[in-house]
Amino acid sequence: MAWQQFEEESHWPVLLHFTITVACAAANWRGVGSIERAMTAMTPLLLVLLLTALIWALTLNNAEVGLGFFCTPDWGLLGSPTLWIEALSQVAWDTGAAFGIFLVLGTSMSRQMGPVKNVIWTTATNGGISLTVGITVFCTVFSTFTEVNPGGTKADIVELLRTNGPANTGLTFIWLPILFSTMAGGRVMASLFFLAVFIATFSNYITLMNTSVQAMVDWGVKRGVAVAVIAMLTFLLGIPSAMNIQVLVNQDFVWSAGLIFSGLSMIYLLSRYGAPEFRLNMLNQAGDGSDWKLPRVFDYLTKYVLVLNGTVLLVWWVAQTIQSADVPWYQLGNQSLMTAILEWTVLVIILVGLNVIFVRCQTSISRHWSSLISVQDKITNCSNCCNKVEEDQFNTLEYEKLRLLEENECVGI
């Protein structure tokens, strides 16, 4: 009830959305060094607290029932495209692989940093943390539910897991506090845990914002101006989701599947460049030789397997959604196929339209853009000029004051 009141019946989400957006904008403007120490300290702390919570959850009564349920697969679900889409989109969300983040971060990497190692370690660590949190939550839920409802069944527990707020938004914020409340010093542990979660999420927000900011900087926009524009757009576009949790549910549904399109577009770009050339020139033969080498099977994976995989999954998912939907697929709703198609179509029209306009009017746009960029320089020069005038006026006043003091034999110049 407390979580529902917070996310659905109060204005706190909008206020926090504004506050955190401003904080992320400040960090992007000053540089990530402004919060680097906090992230460096809090990220290992988060891992320690997660492991502590896992160990404690495993010691609870009936925790083994939850662990057994978590580790027992339902093979019949492998025939559902929704399962595969949700699994694939979850990894795409968690690692940021389909957001274009690494296209920006890659410009700051040296060849000696080992992109192949980074990709493998990032994916492995992400998967390990996801499993840790999953086991912790399931053990906590099964233990708590059986203690409160001794006659309950596994079906009741599964239903409980599905009703933690829209799109399970309350899963972490309801059950982990319950787990910490059973520990000695639980309030301190819970406070440190959610502080670490906040720092980790905050750093992710900064990275996402920087993806767009850096693109504008590369177009010649002053960093301060780019940060202000992106922060304002981010806040405005996020207001509907902050005000209504159902909008957030819709965005989660639509763009989870949309990330598959994004991944396919990345694969298309790779195929245009040439998978063998990319593997050899950009990875295997680059750097100081310390990075892991990709085998030739990488070329076949990117050319055929991944393209076929993504395409089949999307077609399969659309077909099943049409057949099994509770309401006709063509009706609008939070999680209806028609809503997803409309939002994807609008985005495609906007992006393709902007590209067509740019290609056809490139000369005119470049001229006008250069004029806009020059305005920044004029404002900067004007600001410097004003500062110089103020400085000259200040020096004149100081000199006059000292001259008067000397005339009255108070001080020597």
Side-chain angles (χ1 to χ4, degrees), residues 20 85 91 100 124 155 160 165 198 200 285 320 326-327 332-333 356 358 360 366 395:
I20 295 173
I85 288 287
V91 176
L160 180 64
F198 169 74
Q285 297 176 6
Q320 194 197 53
D326 296 332
V327 296
L332 297 179
V356 169
F358 179 78
R360 292 189 175 182
S366 298
N395 292 335

Side-chain angles (χ1 to χ4, degrees), residues 212-223 225-227 229-230 233 354 358 361-378:
S212 300
V213 168
Q214 190 59 50
M216 292 188 67
V217 170
D218 290 343
W219 295 340
V221 180
K222 299 286 186 182
R223 187 167 189 83
V225 176
V227 168
V229 170
I230 296 301
L233 288 175
L354 289 174
F358 179 78
C361 310
Q362 186 172 359
T363 304
S364 176
I365 290 175
S366 298
R367 184 172 63 253
H368 286 90
W369 184 256
S370 299
S371 301
L372 287 174
I373 294 300
S374 64
V375 171
Q376 295 181 122
D377 299 328
K378 291 179 181 179

Side-chain angles (χ1 to χ4, degrees), residues 136-159:
T136 303
V137 170
F138 269 74
C139 289
T140 303
V141 173
F142 271 76
S143 174
T144 304
F145 185 84
T146 53
E147 182 179 347
V148 177
N149 301 282
T153 64
K154 287 184 179 179
D156 296 329
I157 299 177
V158 173
E159 184 61 29

Side-chain angles (χ1 to χ4, degrees), residues 228-383:
V229 170
I230 296 301
M232 187 179 301
L233 288 175
T234 301
F235 174 68
L236 293 176
L237 292 173
I239 286 178
S241 295
M243 293 183 65
N244 188 341
I245 193 67
Q246 296 302 325
V247 176
L248 182 63
V249 172
N250 167 259
Q251 296 297 288
D252 180 65
F253 169 76
V254 172
W255 301 112
S256 290
L259 288 177
I260 311 300
F261 289 109
S262 178
L264 288 173
S265 69
M266 301 278 185
I267 296 170
Y268 172 73
L269 290 175
L270 179 62
S271 64
R272 286 294 302 271
Y273 180 84
E277 291 80 3
F278 179 83
R279 177 174 58 87
L280 295 173
N281 300 336
M282 297 293 184
L283 299 174
N284 289 359
Q285 297 176 6
D288 56 2
S290 61
D291 196 13
W292 296 336
K293 307 299 182 184
L294 284 176
R296 186 173 296 179
V297 68
F298 171 83
D299 305 341
Y300 299 99
L301 282 174
T302 53
K303 276 185 177 180
Y304 309 110
V305 178
L306 293 180
V307 175
L308 184 64
N309 182 14
T311 305
V312 169
L313 273 179
L314 284 172
V315 173
W316 189 20
W317 174 73
V318 169
Q320 194 197 53
T321 302
I322 293 174
Q323 294 174 0
S324 62
D326 296 332
V327 296
W329 67 271
Y330 49 82
Q331 289 186 5
L332 297 179
N334 279 349
Q335 301 185 60
S336 74
L337 181 60
M338 178 55 70
T339 302
I341 292 174
L342 283 176
E343 293 190 32
W344 294 337
T345 303
V346 169
L347 181 65
V348 169
I349 290 174
I350 291 174
L351 293 179
V352 173
L354 289 174
N355 276 276
V356 169
I357 292 172
F358 179 78
V359 170
R360 292 189 175 182
C361 310
Q362 186 172 359
T363 304
S364 176
I365 290 175
S366 298
R367 184 172 63 253
H368 286 90
W369 184 256
S370 299
S371 301
L372 287 174
I373 294 300
S374 64
V375 171
Q376 295 181 122
D377 299 328
K378 291 179 181 179
I379 294 174
T380 304
N381 293 335
C382 181
S383 176

